[in-house]
Amino acid sequence: MKCIAYVSKAPVRDHSVRMPTGLSEIISASREHNPKSQITGIISYREGQYFQILEGPHLEVDKLMAKIAADPRHEDIWVFLNVRVAQRSFSNWGVNVFDFVDQGPLFDAFVEKNSPTLNNFDDYQKKRIKPFIDIEKSDTVPDEYYQDKNLRLLAWPDLNNESNPQMIMNLCIKLTKKPYPFNFLADSGEFGTPQQVTQIVREFERSGILSVTEAEPLVEKVVSEKKPNKFYGAIKKFLGMR
């Protein structure tokens, strides 16, 4: 799959004001077309600009983006993200018209995952995207985010780009077979301090190769008390053993 994110300007109308002409049609078409094409994400409008995130199969996302690029309802399109992903950030399609994009955990995680790209924006780019993402003030996933969660790798990173490939490979082996508790990784000391482990795990998630799930609660096994065998009990009684 791939993910494309962009902002575009609504065309200038009367009195030099940018108005979202045709916004209702855009939303209706998105709600009808995107689920059929297995495309998820969000769309928002604020301060004369559209903000949209598209996730789904490569071909479908590229086809939709080509339509948007040729749509006269969009001007000055800036695609600030175009990456391969192994896991979706959004499970369905959402619309937020005249307010900020929902600052919920899914959106926060999306911003954190793509923070290396966002943090490289120049002042003009930061100002343009600020109605939707205030990069300088946006909350990042805290260090405690992975506590009590299970981690599993969906794919391996490129070990040629790692400074300590042997250690990263050992970590990948642990996270490949089955979901592995983050707490065990952080407490083991095998992969550095808890902060260093958190940083490595963040990079995995930003690359779209990590699945993070809630740890299942431990269920204590109740050992049932064995009932005495009647036959042997009778023998013991006969022999005077009890």
Side-chain angles (χ1 to χ4, degrees):
M1 296 188 297
K2 76 182 307 181
C3 173
I4 285 181
Y6 74 89
V7 291
S8 66
K9 295 179 180 178
V12 175
R13 299 302 181 188
D14 297 335
H15 308 294
S16 299
V17 176
R18 295 187 183 276
M19 295 295 293
T21 304
L23 178 59
S24 59
E25 288 85 355
I26 292 175
I27 293 173
S28 297
S30 298
R31 284 175 171 165
E32 179 181 357
H33 171 270
N34 292 352
K36 293 179 182 178
S37 302
Q38 301 179 42
I39 292 177
T40 59
I42 53 175
I43 184 172
S44 182
Y45 178 86
R46 187 172 175 83
E47 298 182 12
Q49 290 196 116
Y50 295 103
F51 172 91
Q52 189 161 194
I53 299 171
L54 304 171
E55 301 174 317
H58 283 255
L59 181 61
E60 296 296 337
V61 172
D62 285 340
K63 282 167 57 178
L64 180 55
M65 197 62 219
K67 289 182 181 180
I68 292 171
D71 192 330
R73 293 171 297 190
H74 296 272
E75 291 183 350
D76 193 10
I77 297 176
W78 170 37
V79 177
F80 63 86
L81 191 69
N82 187 342
V83 294
R84 296 171 61 92
V85 293
Q87 188 176 23
R88 297 175 188 267
S89 295
F90 304 93
S91 57
N92 52 27
W93 182 252
V95 177
N96 192 316
V97 182
F98 293 112
D99 207 344
F100 286 95
V101 171
D102 176 28
Q103 299 292 316
L106 291 179
F107 188 76
D108 289 342
F110 173 83
V111 172
E112 168 64 15
K113 183 187 299 184
N114 296 286
S115 60
T117 298
L118 302 176
N119 290 333
N120 284 328
F121 287 171
D122 58 31
D123 290 340
Y124 172 77
Q125 292 170 326
K126 289 180 181 178
K127 184 177 180 181
R128 183 166 180 189
I129 205 172
K130 189 173 182 177
F132 309 101
I133 303 174
D134 191 342
I135 296 170
E136 295 177 354
K137 295 182 179 180
S138 61
D139 294 330
T140 59
V141 176
D143 289 345
E144 297 79 15
Y145 172 73
Y146 298 106
Q147 291 289 336
D148 301 319
K149 293 201 171 54
N150 284 340
L151 313 177
R152 185 171 187 175
L153 276 182
L154 305 172
W156 279 35
D158 184 356
L159 297 176
N160 293 319
N161 296 327
E162 300 293 343
S163 58
N164 192 339
Q166 183 60 53
M167 185 191 75
I168 297 298
M169 184 172 70
N170 293 339
L171 176 59
C172 291
I173 292 172
K174 280 188 180 293
L175 300 181
T176 298
K177 293 181 180 179
K178 59 182 180 179
Y180 197 89
F182 170 81
N183 294 19
F184 289 4
L185 290 178
D187 295 341
S188 70
E190 185 179 354
F191 306 102
T193 65
Q195 291 75 19
Q196 290 170 326
V197 174
T198 299
Q199 184 61 36
I200 296 171
V201 169
R202 276 180 179 161
E203 290 300 324
F204 286 169
E205 190 172 16
R206 285 170 183 160
S207 302
I209 62 173
L210 184 74
S211 170
V212 182
T213 57
E214 295 291 338
E216 295 183 2
L218 294 175
V219 179
E220 291 187 15
K221 292 184 178 180
V222 178
V223 180
S224 59
E225 186 178 345
K226 285 187 176 182
K227 294 182 179 180
N229 187 291
K230 291 182 179 180
F231 174 77
Y232 288 106
I235 293 295
K236 287 181 178 180
K237 185 176 181 181
F238 176 76
L239 295 175
M241 296 174 65
R242 67 172 187 175

